[in-house]
Amino acid sequence: MSYDEIQVYYHAALTGYVATWNAYIDNLVRDFYDVIADAANPKFDAIHTLAMSMTENALARFNTPNWENVRNLLNQYTGYDPINDWGVSQVSMNLEQVHQRLNEILRVRHSFAHGSDMPAYVWTQSSSGRIRLTSKSIQETEVFFKNLVKVTDKGMKTHIELTYGLTNIW
């Protein structure tokens, strides 16, 4: 297999991880509304329906799941601010490094999705200076997103338990 063919697979893998992250966030927000629903309380149900409608409009416009957009979406439409949870890392990254890596991944995906040059980051640059994705960078991206989903899920669960008094939600 040629270098160019391998890069196509790596680009597809990175694109898949970003798409999965985007879908996860969409589903997390919808799951939040499903879990807190209380049809037995008409006043709450009326507000819930209104909030869910506004949230669906926001989700329809949500297409760049970078740090700022995800954090704002979660905070504005669920009340959950993931910032403290995102600093809890099993991949030896602090909060700033998680912030930086998530946005870098989105910029790299954006570059080949729109036909521009891939940005040069430590994880996209070989020792010879060649800008490309590698098997290692794809594996690190997978581990990165798995961890981010794990801590975000745990944080949302805690938010719902503390705010709404609901337990055993997922």
Side-chain angles (χ1 to χ4, degrees), residues 14-133:
L14 189 93
T15 299
Y17 289 128
V18 171
T20 301
W21 169 243
N22 196 121
Y24 163 75
I25 294 300
D26 282 356
N27 289 328
L28 180 66
V29 172
R30 288 185 178 102
D31 288 348
F32 164 81
Y33 280 94
D34 288 346
V35 166
I36 67 160
D38 184 3
N41 182 337
K43 290 179 182 176
F44 181 83
D45 190 51
I47 295 296
H48 179 273
T49 301
L50 178 63
M52 187 61 208
S53 175
M54 292 171 30
T55 299
E56 285 297 337
N57 288 336
L59 290 173
R61 294 184 313 275
F62 180 69
N63 58 13
T64 304
N66 64 15
W67 170 279
E68 294 79 10
N69 292 346
V70 171
R71 182 176 179 214
N72 289 338
L73 180 81
L74 291 176
N75 200 14
Q76 289 175 3
Y77 293 95
T78 70
Y80 166 57
D81 185 351
I83 194 163
N84 292 326
D85 299 316
W86 286 353
V88 178
S89 177
Q90 295 175 344
V91 291
S92 302
M93 289 183 170
N94 64 33
L95 183 63
E96 183 55 38
Q97 290 166 323
V98 171
H99 180 172
Q100 181 178 338
R101 179 58 64 96
L102 181 56
N103 285 354
E104 287 175 358
I105 291 168
L106 269 288
R107 286 183 204 111
V108 168
R109 194 266 311 154
H110 183 83
S111 72
F112 49 78
H114 297 284
S116 57
D117 291 337
M118 185 183 302
Y121 300 119
V122 171
W123 59 277
T124 63
Q125 193 167 16
S126 70
S127 57
S128 66
R130 189 171 191 180
I131 308 303
R132 82 296 180 253
L133 294 176

